Amino acid sequence: MQQEQQEVHQHHHYHHFHHGQNMINNDHSHHPYKFLPKRIILVRHGESEGNLDTAAYTTTPDNKIPLTPSGLSQAETAGIHLHNLISESNNHAQNWRVYFYVSPYQRTLSTLRGIGRSFERERIIGVREECRIREQDFGNFQVKERMKVIKETRERFGRFFYRFPEGESAADVFDRVSSFLESLWRDIDMNRLQKDPSSDLNLIIISHGLTCRVFLMKWFKWTVDQFERLNNPGNCEYRVMELGDGGEYSLAIHHTDEEMQEWGLSPEMIADQKWRVHAHRGDWNESCSWYFDSFFDHLKLDSNKESDDKADDCSSVCE
């Protein structure tokens, strides 16, 4: 039974939560998913010393790489933009709240502090340091010349499955992000993140470029090929997944087609995001080829259905 519940968490097919006080009218004119977060916002950290000069990794552990002065400024600016995004687009602005998840790396923790300067204390429900959303592990101290060769090899091998010597592949990151998502949905299900049902909850996840891409891949069930085509977010760029009126999350509510195209989403992926804006939770978008058709080159027709179709054609002629 517990395993079944975890699978439901993982695929986010909640129509309501188990607690009696959380049961909500299923009339879609009244938001039937009141207790789901209004937004899940993925933020990449600000510019780090490693982004500026990769030689920093040869003497400093990856988790201790600090932000540059520009990165600190980017974090504060991102905080202003996120505060405005949440407050100005909220119909009852006095009731919104935020909860932060943050990678334990110094550059993400510093980004959180910069972002946090724009939020009043009463707006913040809490913060959780989450190791599973840390950066991809590239090994220990990195020799600059060696890493250049390794990254060239990764391009030939494929970015998703290539495992760095003494480090991780993107597939490894996918596994731990999947585990994090199970915990995230358990937190939501048990109402740990929100005590006031009248408040709109916004989750802000401060992480790293690849981890954010893997998160989106897992959430929207994108394929490895689709992941390979995604572009890395810039420093302190964010991706806003907003809850649609039917209970599905979509990037298309806040972001434009042009933005999503720049991120590497194909026209079909963008169309799916638009479909999600009004889709009801648990619905299946049959027009998405990567959910079914792209895995087959030919499928036999149902012989019974084919016979019925021929019978219908015959009767039409006879009439």
Side-chain angles (χ1 to χ4, degrees):
M1 182 65 180
Q2 184 178 1
Q3 183 178 359
E4 293 175 357
Q5 288 178 339
Q6 288 178 349
E7 290 175 357
V8 172
H9 282 100
Q10 184 173 345
H11 293 88
H12 13 283
H13 287 254
Y14 276 98
H15 290 275
H16 54 70
F17 296 119
H18 305 310
H19 307 292
Q21 67 268 28
N22 287 346
M23 299 292 286
I24 300 173
N25 189 336
N26 278 329
D27 178 2
H28 289 286
S29 62
H30 302 91
H31 208 299
Y33 307 102
K34 184 77 172 180
F35 293 91
L36 291 174
K38 175 69 174 175
R39 297 175 191 86
I40 300 174
I41 305 174
L42 304 173
V43 186
R44 186 190 174 199
H45 60 80
E47 181 188 71
S48 72
E49 295 288 354
N51 296 142
L52 201 59
D53 183 1
T54 56
Y57 297 109
T58 64
T59 57
T60 307
D62 193 5
N63 65 296
K64 294 183 178 179
I65 296 286
L67 293 183
T68 63
S70 176
L72 292 168
S73 177
Q74 289 171 344
E76 292 185 20
T77 300
I80 295 170
H81 291 165
L82 290 171
H83 185 281
N84 291 342
L85 184 161
I86 295 170
S87 61
E88 293 176 4
S89 61
N90 200 298
N91 293 329
H92 42 285
Q94 72 275 15
N95 287 329
W96 59 267
R97 298 289 186 274
V98 296
Y99 190 97
F100 290 98
Y101 289 91
V102 62
S103 158
Y105 281 37
Q106 183 173 332
R107 55 186 178 271
T108 43
L109 292 168
S110 296
T111 300
L112 169 62
R113 281 190 287 273
I115 288 174
R117 293 185 178 184
S118 293
F119 291 86
E120 300 84 359
R121 176 63 185 86
E122 60 271 17
R123 296 288 189 189
I124 303 174
I125 298 172
V127 181
R128 182 174 303 171
E129 182 178 291
E130 177 53 71
C131 284
R132 289 172 292 183
I133 59 171
R134 68 186 184 277
E135 175 65 288
Q136 179 181 6
D137 189 348
F138 298 107
N140 298 315
F141 292 109
Q142 301 171 25
V143 179
K144 189 173 182 179
E145 294 75 15
R146 181 169 178 256
M147 285 302 295
K148 181 180 178 181
V149 174
I150 287 173
K151 289 183 178 181
E152 289 173 354
T153 304
R154 179 182 62 171
E155 292 302 316
R156 297 197 307 271
F157 191 93
R159 300 179 68 89
F160 188 76
F161 290 113
Y162 181 81
R163 178 176 285 115
F164 283 84
E166 303 174 352
E168 289 182 303
S169 66
D172 296 325
V173 178
F174 181 94
D175 291 341
R176 54 177 164 86
V177 167
S178 298
S179 171
F180 166 65
L181 274 172
E182 291 181 8
S183 300
L184 176 65
W185 280 101
R186 191 156 47 247
D187 285 346
I188 295 170
D189 181 34
M190 298 182 70
N191 209 28
R192 290 171 177 163
L193 307 180
Q194 181 166 315
K195 302 300 182 184
D196 182 0
S198 67
S199 298
D200 275 347
L201 173 62
N202 299 270
L203 302 184
I204 300 179
I205 300 172
I206 302 173
S207 186
H208 307 265
L210 181 132
T211 310
C212 290
R213 284 180 283 149
V214 165
F215 184 102
L216 293 172
M217 174 191 182
K218 171 63 180 174
W219 190 285
F220 294 119
K221 303 179 179 64
W222 292 339
T223 65
V224 171
D225 182 64
Q226 289 169 323
F227 169 84
E228 297 275 7
R229 299 170 188 270
L230 296 177
N231 298 316
N232 211 33
N235 293 120
C236 273
E237 280 190 7
Y238 48 84
R239 310 285 189 253
V240 181
M241 300 163 51
E242 188 159 334
L243 189 65
D245 51 26
E248 284 286 350
Y249 286 91
S250 172
L251 295 166
I253 297 175
H254 179 77
H255 299 289
T256 65
D257 290 14
E258 290 74 20
E259 284 180 297
M260 291 186 283
Q261 188 175 5
E262 288 176 3
W263 303 343
L265 273 68
S266 67
E268 293 79 14
M269 294 165 75
I270 294 173
D272 179 55
Q273 292 300 317
K274 291 181 175 180
W275 173 84
R276 290 172 178 272
V277 174
H278 303 294
H280 290 164
R281 198 160 196 78
D283 285 355
W284 196 258
N285 186 359
E286 295 183 356
S287 64
C288 283
S289 61
W290 63 91
Y291 288 163
F292 192 89
D293 293 340
S294 65
F295 293 96
F296 304 98
D297 54 8
H298 177 73
L299 289 174
K300 292 182 179 180
L301 295 175
D302 188 321
S303 57
N304 292 328
K305 183 178 185 301
E306 194 172 6
S307 298
D308 291 342
D309 290 342
K310 288 180 179 178
D312 290 342
D313 291 343
C314 181
S315 62
S316 297
V317 171
C318 293
E319 290 173 359

